[in-house]
C-alpha cells in the first residue's frame, strides 16, 4: 500500500470520528448551526471514500487499455467531491430556512460547543496533513479533500462564535443565519474544487513557473543540439507529461542524438518527480530559431 492510499484511509477514519463527535454536539444542543456542521462532516466521509477509491485506481500501473496510466481517476474523484459539497450546501440551506421560520432554544450550549470545537481541532490537524502531503505527492484527490476540510475548519470556528453569541444575546435567529453562511461557504469551496479538477481533465498546461524550470533544465542538458521548440505540457494526477521537438545537426548520428535525449530525460525526471518526457528529434533545417536555443 503506497503512502497516498494510506493517507486516504486516514481521511476516512478521521471523517467518521469527527462526524460522530459533531453529531453528539448537535444532539446535545439542538442547534441548527451545529447540525449544518455535522451534515458537512457526512460529506467529508463521502469525499474521503471517493478520494480513497480514486488514489487506489490512480496507483495502478499502465496496462493495455490505459497505456498512459490511471492518473486522471483522481480528477474524477475531485469532481464528485465538488458535487457532493454542493448537495450538502443545499441540505443545510433547507435546515437553515426551517430554523429561521421556527427558531428553537439551544440547550447545553457550552458543553456542545466544547465538543464541537474538539472535532474542529482534529479536522484542522488532519487538514494540514492532507494539504502538505497532497502537494508533496502531487495528488489532486488528497489536495481537494484537504481544501474541503479547510472550509470545514473555518465553518466550525464561525459556528462556535455564532452559537455562543446567540446564547448570550438570546437572538435565536443567529443560529439559522450561521447555518446559511456555512452553506454559502461550502458552495464556494465546491466551486473551486470542481474548477481545479475540470482543468486537469481538460489537459490544462502546467503553470508558467514550472514550464520555465523545464526550459532551464532542457537548456542545461542539451549540449550538442541546436534548439528545442514546440514545448507542450499537461498534468494528470501525480504525472506531468512533457513533449517537445529537439533539433540536432543534420550530420549527427542517431546514436549521438539518442544520447542527448537520454541526458535531457534523466535530468527532467531527476529534478521533476513524475515527469514523463517525449522528444521528437528533427534535423537542423527544421529549426525555427525560437524556443530554447542551445547553440
Amino acid at each position: 500500500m503506497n503512502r497516498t492510499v494510506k493517507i486516504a484511509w486516514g481521511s476516512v477514519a478521521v471523517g467518521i470520528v469527527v462526524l460522530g463527535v459533531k453529531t453528539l454536539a448537535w444532539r446535545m444542543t439542538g442547534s441548527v448551526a451545529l447540525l449544518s456542521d455535522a451534515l458537512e462532516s457526512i460529506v467529508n466521509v463521502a469525499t474521503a471514500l471517493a478520494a480513497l477509491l480514486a488514489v487506489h485506481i490512480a496507483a495502478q500501473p499502465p496496462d493495455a487499455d490505459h497505456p498512459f496510466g490511471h492518473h486522471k481517476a483522481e480528477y474524477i474523484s475531485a469532481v464528485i467531491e465538488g458535487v457532493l459539497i454542493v448537495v450538502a450546501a443545499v441540505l443545510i440551506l433547507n435546515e437553515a430556512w426551517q430554523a429561521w421560520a421556527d427558531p428553537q432554544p439551544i440547550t447545553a450550549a457550552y458543553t456542545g460547543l466544547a465538543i464541537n470545537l474538539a472535532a474542529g481541532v482534529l479536522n484542522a490537524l488532519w487538514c494540514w496533513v492532507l494539504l502538505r502531503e497532497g502537494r508533496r505527492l502531487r495528488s489532486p484527490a488528497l489536495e481537494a479533500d484537504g481544501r474541503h476540510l479547510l472550509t470545514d475548519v473555518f465553518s466550525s470556528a464561525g459556528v462556535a462564535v455564532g452559537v455562543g453569541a446567540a446564547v448570550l444575546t438570546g437572538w435565536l435567529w443567529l443560529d439559522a443565519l450561521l447555518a446559511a453562511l456555512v452553506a454559502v461557504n461550502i458552495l464556494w469551496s465546491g466551486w473551486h474544487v470542481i474548477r481545479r479538477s475540470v482543468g486537469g481533465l481538460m489537459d490544462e498546461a502546467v503553470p508558467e513557473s514550472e514550464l520555465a524550470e523545464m526550459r532551464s533544465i532542457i537548456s542545461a542538458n542539451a549540449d550538442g543540439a541546436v534548439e528545442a521548440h514546440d514545448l507542450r505540457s499537461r498534468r494528470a494526477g501525480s504525472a506531468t507529461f512533457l513533449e517537445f521537438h529537439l533539433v540536432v545537426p543534420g550530420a549527427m548520428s542517431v546514436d549521438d542524438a539518442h544520447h542527448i535525449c537520454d541526458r535531457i530525460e534523466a535530468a527532467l525526471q531527476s529534478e521533476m518527480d513524475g515527469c514523463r518526457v517525449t522528444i521528437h528529434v528533427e534535423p537542423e533545417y527544421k529549426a525555427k530559431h525560437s524556443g530554447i536555443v542551445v547553440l
Side-chain angles (χ1 to χ4, degrees), residues 14 27 43-44 70 85 101 106 110 115 137 160 192 267 280 292:
V14 171
R27 296 286 294 178
V43 178
N44 289 347
H70 302 77
I85 290 169
I106 299 172
Y110 298 114
I115 293 172
L137 299 169
H192 279 282
H280 177 70
I292 303 167

Side-chain angles (χ1 to χ4, degrees), residues 22-292:
K22 287 189 175 183
T23 300
L24 175 62
W26 162 61
R27 296 286 294 178
M28 289 181 65
T29 62
S31 165
V32 70
L34 292 184
L35 171 60
S36 72
D37 217 10
L39 284 173
E40 188 175 2
S41 292
I42 294 175
V43 178
N44 289 347
V45 175
T47 55
L49 287 169
L52 173 61
L53 178 62
V55 297
H56 174 71
I57 295 173
Q60 302 304 309
D63 54 36
D65 293 327
H66 305 89
F68 292 98
H70 302 77
H71 309 285
K72 286 194 176 182
E74 294 201 37
Y75 290 120
I76 297 172
S77 164
V79 170
I80 293 172
E81 288 185 27
V83 172
L84 289 173
I85 290 169
V86 172
V87 171
V90 172
L91 292 174
I92 292 170
L93 283 172
N94 178 63
E95 293 293 333
W97 173 252
Q98 292 183 28
W100 182 272
D102 184 23
Q104 297 296 318
I106 299 172
T107 59
Y110 298 114
T111 304
L113 283 174
I115 293 172
N116 205 66
L117 279 173
V121 171
L122 178 57
N123 259 348
L125 292 172
W126 189 248
C127 171
W128 176 76
V129 171
L130 283 174
L131 291 175
R132 184 194 64 182
E133 294 299 307
R135 293 188 186 108
R136 189 178 71 82
L137 299 169
R138 294 171 64 184
S139 169
L142 292 184
E143 195 170 346
D145 205 13
R147 287 180 181 277
H148 170 53
L149 210 56
L150 183 61
T151 66
D152 192 23
V153 171
F154 287 130
S155 295
S156 296
V159 163
V161 173
V163 172
V167 172
L168 290 173
T169 62
W171 298 343
L172 295 180
W173 54 266
L174 277 175
D175 192 32
L177 178 62
L178 276 169
L181 291 175
V182 168
V184 172
N185 184 47
I186 294 172
L187 282 173
W188 183 250
S189 167
W191 160 247
H192 279 282
V193 168
I194 292 173
R195 184 177 63 82
R196 286 169 60 88
S197 303
V198 168
L201 288 171
M202 294 295 291
D203 288 334
E204 192 173 53
V206 302
E208 183 56 39
S209 60
E210 195 168 328
L211 200 56
E213 185 180 354
M214 291 176 175
R215 292 192 186 99
S216 176
I217 293 170
I218 293 168
S219 178
N221 292 275
D223 291 344
V226 176
E227 71 176 32
H229 58 239
D230 292 349
L231 270 72
R232 296 195 302 173
S233 66
R234 65 183 176 90
R235 177 159 290 155
S238 60
T240 299
F241 293 88
L242 174 68
E243 59 182 71
F244 59 91
H245 295 187
L246 183 71
V247 179
V248 300
M252 179 176 284
S253 68
V254 173
D255 191 50
D256 288 341
H258 182 69
H259 281 310
I260 297 173
C261 291
D262 281 348
R263 188 167 66 239
I264 294 171
E265 287 179 24
L268 284 166
Q269 290 167 355
S270 173
E271 297 293 327
M272 312 196 78
D273 188 40
C275 190
R276 315 287 179 86
V277 187
T278 302
I279 305 174
H280 177 70
V281 177
E282 295 182 333
E284 193 166 1
Y285 72 86
K286 291 279 192 177
K288 294 184 177 180
H289 305 292
S290 63
I292 303 167

